[in-house]
Amino acid sequence: MAEEARLIAEREEQERLERERREEEERQRLELKDRERREDELNELRFILEENQNAVNTWEATCKEKAKWDRYMLCDGSPNPAVQPEINTFISLWKENPEVQIQPLLQQCALALRLTDELDLLLREEPEPSVAQVYQDTLLSLQSLIHAKHLQATEEILKWAKACSDIETGNMQTVVQDDNITLCLWANLNKNPRFKGYQFKEVGLGFELPKQLAMSDIGVRILHTHYDHLSHLSQRAQAQMRKPAREEVNEETTLAETPKVLEDEEEEVRGSAGQAEDELQSLKSERKKVGLQSCRRSVLSSMFLMEMIMLWLLDADSTPAVVEPVIDSTEVHVVDLQQYTPLGGVFYFDVFRLPPQSHTVSGWEMRELLDTGLQVFPYPSEHSQVHSSVSGKLDENYTEFPPVGVTVALPDTVVFLEEPQVVCWDPVGQHWRTDCITETSYNAEARSISFKMESFCAFTLLQETYANMPFQSWELRPLGQDSALLTITTALAEVSITVKGNQCMLHMDGVHELAHLLGKWMSFSALQTAMRRAGVNIFVNEYSDKYVIVNAKDPLIEHAVYEQMALVSSAFAFSWSKWNAQCGQEHLVLQVCEHLEVGLVPEKAWSLYLLGAQRTQHLKMTERSSEFSPELAEGTEFHSTFLHMLRDSMSLEGRARVGHSHHLYIHTVQRLLYATRVLTFS
């Protein structure tokens, strides 16, 4: 028996060695065959991609020319923001326009907002630096003027507060709305010491006042702009705060490399470096002084916004800088706008001195005229701020000047996947801060949030930018010729985007806040912007991997795979694989299946493919295998490109679909895959 067992073992060992020898010979044969045709396959793929890209470039150039011509032929009386004399004339005339009635003024602001949108589009095209600076300056001028006009309209309404007072309350309260803003105004005419607050129920906004303000001649304004003209100032300010340090490093490097610089030039450079260092230290010192008082000084938020914008316009040396992904760690209360996204616009919460009201004397209506404009009512008072900064007795002053309360209904066009975070605007530091908000209470069912603030200032609602990342799974499935559906499942939602030609459509179940987006065709760029503004972000950027745990892959391989997936997406379905996380950084694994029918892909139809920089192969293992194995599937070969690998098993109908795929459809799918990077962020 022992001899027989030994013979069986030897025979099995010989069979195993023979099998491994044949497998190795077959593998060497396939590798040699792959090397022989590698250049041809790469050249063919390169030709297809270049041909498609050239067609897309031609189409985009034609569209740009047509857009320019259509803008020129618009003839609706609005200026062309790309033509400097036109837009400068518009700004000058509007600035001098004495119109202060709210409805005509809101129509003018709506036109100015359309012009700012056009300037945003022009800036996205990345023009020459000098042209981009002109566009940026024009954009800031328009934004500043819009805020100034809102203040003028507010002053005009408050001047007539007595004539529009409410019989029941004795005060004046009014709401003005259009597509861009919601303006809530309340004037304290009755001065009732028992007054606690007021709710503008029709718009879901309200406030609470301490007794000191209930007895004062004040007007309270809550201006909700459905757009955000503050956050970009914060990004710019954070970039400029880091600019002196970068300049100092550059200057030291230059001096080290050129030791024979003329003495006068050397002194000039050192003087500039010293000045930059002094300014930086001064700025740091100022920021330390601001500390807890920054929120209180933000009572002048609207005024400071216009002043800072004009200062930037006058700064000829300021140039756009790349925003660092993470802000200074010492500023723990400053919001990192790479990590968080403001949603739903900005709420300007202000208190003003009530303008003199009219009086009727002997049939004559008399009013005191002031040339000071709308004046901010200081709360807490300037005296209390000075006293607290000197004595440090913040708690005593806090009781003397209790916080003000705010209640906000969440905007009905924004999805908050998690409880929103309220932050206030610091006009001194030019950034959003988290340390000015207290006693926050969130009602998820009523979609409202209430909180306290130490003073009156602008605030907004934040959501984590990468709340949907990393993705749990994804699938790209064809729906027909030049049509596909990308479905991404996250921990908080399931998002589907249909691509048809060069148009995209968003699908999400049970989200009524997105009624303005769901089921509507638009370009990929428009859909991407709209989804981000609505709080549904599944798109990555250059800083995403600093905040999200990713499955790191070689970016060149990843990019090449997305290109080839788009080429065959009319005929092949693709899906995530758990093995993608276990094959190393130099390889990708995904599930693939030719799918020409309408409906879901059968579970057993999927096959696994291993993709690398040198070759692609069809794996013998399946998604349900117990361990990873790079063994080649029977009857398959190595290929240098993913495209040629799929062609080996492609049906005639599939070849026809792939061959007739339109270049705009391919380009749109490519952009969608580049923007989501599902192979890395899943």
Side-chain angles (χ1 to χ4, degrees):
M1 295 295 293
E3 181 65 20
E4 184 179 355
R6 184 183 63 80
L7 292 175
I8 293 175
E10 289 180 355
R11 185 170 62 252
E12 290 178 350
E13 179 66 15
Q14 290 176 357
E15 291 176 354
R16 184 185 66 81
L17 293 175
E18 179 63 20
R19 185 172 59 254
E20 290 180 354
R21 184 187 64 80
R22 290 197 302 268
E23 290 176 354
E24 182 62 26
E25 289 179 353
E26 178 64 13
R27 184 178 184 86
Q28 291 178 1
R29 185 186 69 82
L30 293 177
E31 290 179 351
L32 178 61
K33 186 177 180 180
D34 177 44
R35 287 195 296 270
E36 289 175 348
R37 65 190 177 195
R38 176 176 175 79
E39 185 175 353
D40 292 337
E41 289 184 350
L42 292 176
N43 287 336
E44 182 182 2
L45 175 60
R46 188 180 300 111
F47 174 78
I48 294 173
L49 294 174
E50 289 180 353
E51 187 178 38
N52 284 336
Q53 189 58 50
N54 290 336
V56 170
N57 293 341
T58 301
W59 177 80
E60 290 180 343
T62 303
C63 289
K64 288 181 180 179
E65 291 300 322
K66 184 178 183 301
K68 289 181 180 179
W69 176 253
D70 291 343
R71 186 65 180 83
Y72 176 75
M73 296 297 293
L74 190 57
C75 299
D76 64 346
S78 63
N80 187 345
V83 180
Q84 204 61 26
E86 288 187 26
I87 192 65
N88 286 343
T89 301
F90 171 81
I91 292 175
S92 299
L93 292 178
W94 191 28
K95 189 179 298 183
E96 298 171 358
N97 190 339
E99 179 62 68
V100 291
Q101 295 301 314
I102 184 65
Q103 292 302 333
L105 223 160
L106 289 181
Q107 294 177 4
Q108 296 170 4
C109 290
L111 171 59
L113 287 171
R114 290 198 298 271
L115 297 177
T116 60
D117 290 340
E118 288 188 53
L119 286 168
D120 277 330
L121 292 175
L122 292 172
L123 287 169
R124 289 177 190 173
E125 295 176 2
E126 298 182 356
E128 294 292 329
S130 58
V131 177
Q133 186 62 47
V134 172
Y135 290 161
Q136 186 69 32
D137 293 346
T138 304
L139 181 66
L140 294 174
S141 295
L142 284 171
Q143 292 177 353
S144 172
L145 196 50
I146 290 171
H147 283 274
K149 293 296 182 179
H150 286 159
L151 286 173
Q152 292 178 8
T154 300
E155 181 181 11
E156 182 64 18
I157 295 175
L158 291 178
K159 282 181 179 179
W160 298 93
K162 184 178 180 180
C164 302
S165 62
D166 181 59
I167 298 177
E168 294 182 3
T169 64
N171 298 317
M172 187 278 290
Q173 52 270 340
T174 185
V175 176
V176 182
Q177 286 182 284
D178 71 354
D179 293 337
N180 301 308
I181 66 108
T182 298
L183 174 62
C184 300
L185 280 176
W186 176 84
N188 190 17
L189 302 173
N190 199 16
K191 300 181 184 63
N192 184 354
R194 292 176 294 178
F195 178 82
K196 298 298 182 182
Y198 187 81
Q199 296 291 324
F200 299 91
K201 296 181 180 180
E202 61 269 41
V203 292
L205 297 174
F207 63 89
E208 297 177 7
L209 296 181
K211 185 176 180 180
Q212 294 94 318
L213 293 177
M215 297 295 294
S216 303
D217 285 319
I218 60 168
V220 175
R221 180 184 77 165
I222 304 179
L223 172 63
H224 176 205
T225 61
H226 304 166
Y227 48 86
D228 182 356
H229 285 173
L230 294 179
S231 294
H232 73 97
L233 301 179
S234 176
Q235 293 172 341
R236 189 180 178 106
Q238 290 176 10
Q240 288 193 355
M241 285 173 59
R242 286 184 290 269
K243 183 179 177 182
R246 287 198 299 270
E247 288 179 347
E248 185 175 352
V249 171
N250 292 337
E251 287 166 358
E252 291 176 356
T253 304
T254 303
L255 290 174
E257 293 176 350
T258 56
K260 296 183 179 180
V261 180
L262 295 177
E263 291 183 2
D264 54 345
E265 293 180 351
E266 185 175 355
E267 291 176 358
E268 181 180 353
V269 172
R270 289 177 178 173
S272 300
Q275 182 179 359
E277 184 177 357
D278 292 341
E279 291 176 356
L280 181 59
Q281 295 298 328
S282 176
L283 180 57
K284 290 181 178 179
S285 176
E286 177 64 23
R287 291 174 65 184
K288 290 179 180 178
K289 293 178 181 179
V290 170
L292 296 175
Q293 302 301 320
S294 61
C295 180
R296 292 177 174 172
R297 284 200 294 271
S298 60
V299 68
L300 304 177
S301 58
S302 298
M303 304 294 190
F304 268 107
L305 170 65
M306 293 182 289
E307 293 178 6
M308 294 305 297
I309 287 177
M310 297 310 297
L311 286 174
W312 269 326
L313 291 175
L314 296 174
D315 183 9
D317 295 331
S318 65
T319 56
V322 177
V323 180
E324 297 292 335
V326 182
I327 60 174
D328 186 358
S329 59
T330 60
E331 291 293 333
V332 293
H333 297 297
V334 176
V335 174
D336 179 6
L337 291 182
Q338 296 299 334
Q339 184 176 6
Y340 295 94
T341 299
L343 294 177
V346 176
F347 298 83
Y348 296 87
F349 187 35
D350 305 292
V351 59
F352 301 107
R353 297 187 185 276
L354 195 62
Q357 303 297 299
S358 61
H359 300 277
T360 302
V361 179
S362 302
W364 291 87
E365 185 175 0
M366 305 180 66
R367 179 192 305 275
E368 181 184 1
L369 298 180
L370 303 177
D371 57 359
T372 57
L374 196 60
Q375 292 182 307
V376 172
F377 187 91
Y379 184 87
S381 67
E382 296 178 0
H383 172 73
S384 69
Q385 294 181 32
V386 173
H387 176 72
S388 62
S389 64
V390 174
S391 65
K393 298 180 180 180
L394 294 177
D395 294 338
E396 294 180 5
N397 284 283
Y398 185 81
T399 57
E400 292 178 8
F401 294 90
V404 293
V406 184
T407 300
V408 176
L410 303 186
D412 55 8
T413 58
V414 176
V415 177
F416 286 93
L417 302 173
E418 300 173 325
E419 179 179 342
Q421 182 178 4
V422 186
V423 293
C424 63
W425 180 251
D426 177 9
V428 177
Q430 291 291 285
H431 44 233
W432 296 107
R433 297 186 65 91
T434 61
D435 56 345
C436 306
I437 308 297
T438 58
E439 301 181 36
T440 301
S441 175
Y442 176 57
N443 188 331
E445 293 184 2
R447 283 181 52 83
S448 67
I449 189 167
S450 301
F451 52 92
K452 300 285 188 179
M453 306 172 67
E454 293 183 6
S455 66
F456 293 81
C457 61
F459 62 89
T460 191
L461 306 175
L462 294 184
Q463 180 172 266
E464 190 175 358
T465 303
Y466 311 104
N468 284 314
M469 301 177 194
F471 311 134
Q472 292 185 340
S473 64
W474 62 272
E475 179 183 287
L476 178 64
R477 172 164 53 91
L479 300 177
Q481 183 67 56
D482 291 342
S483 182
L485 174 69
L486 175 65
T487 301
I488 295 178
T489 302
T490 75
L492 302 174
E494 182 176 280
V495 183
S496 297
I497 298 176
T498 299
V499 180
K500 188 172 183 179
N502 66 336
Q503 297 292 295
C504 299
M505 181 192 297
L506 174 66
H507 306 273
M508 287 185 71
D509 295 331
V511 187
H512 66 274
E513 295 89 352
L514 300 181
H516 62 294
L517 290 181
L518 299 177
K520 296 184 179 180
W521 293 104
M522 60 188 75
S523 68
F524 172 70
S525 297
L527 179 64
Q528 188 177 21
T529 301
M531 288 178 62
R532 281 174 169 163
R533 289 178 177 174
V536 185
N537 181 41
I538 58 172
F539 308 107
V540 304
N541 57 42
E542 58 186 312
Y543 303 128
S544 299
D545 58 354
K546 300 184 182 300
Y547 303 97
V548 181
I549 299 176
V550 299
N551 185 16
K553 298 294 180 180
D554 187 314
L556 296 179
I557 301 175
E558 184 185 5
H559 188 274
V561 171
Y562 293 146
E563 288 180 328
Q564 296 169 79
M565 287 172 61
L567 289 175
V568 298
S569 57
S570 284
F572 279 83
F574 305 90
S575 181
W576 78 287
S577 171
K578 64 182 180 182
W579 302 110
N580 188 42
Q582 302 183 31
C583 61
Q585 187 170 344
E586 301 300 323
H587 292 89
L588 296 164
V589 175
L590 68 161
Q591 299 184 79
V592 185
C593 172
E594 184 175 2
H595 187 66
L596 305 178
E597 304 295 330
V598 178
L600 300 176
V601 180
E603 189 67 26
K604 295 183 179 180
W606 293 108
S607 298
L608 286 180
Y609 284 78
L610 178 66
L611 298 84
Q614 297 299 320
R615 67 169 61 97
T616 299
Q617 63 189 81
H618 184 180
L619 297 179
K620 182 178 181 179
M621 63 175 290
T622 67
E623 185 68 14
R624 295 175 297 278
S625 297
S626 58
E627 59 182 10
F628 180 78
S629 171
E631 185 177 353
L632 194 65
E634 295 181 4
T636 62
E637 300 179 350
F638 295 121
H639 280 278
S640 297
T641 72
F642 193 24
L643 173 64
H644 292 86
M645 182 78 251
L646 296 177
R647 279 183 180 177
D648 280 356
S649 59
M650 196 181 302
S651 66
L652 293 178
E653 184 180 353
R655 288 178 179 271
R657 280 197 188 181
V658 172
H660 291 88
S661 294
H662 197 276
H663 55 270
L664 292 182
Y665 163 75
I666 295 173
H667 180 64
T668 303
V669 176
Q670 284 178 355
R671 293 183 64 193
L672 182 57
L673 294 173
Y674 296 158
T676 54
R677 293 188 63 189
V678 290
L679 291 171
T680 297
F681 283 80
S682 296

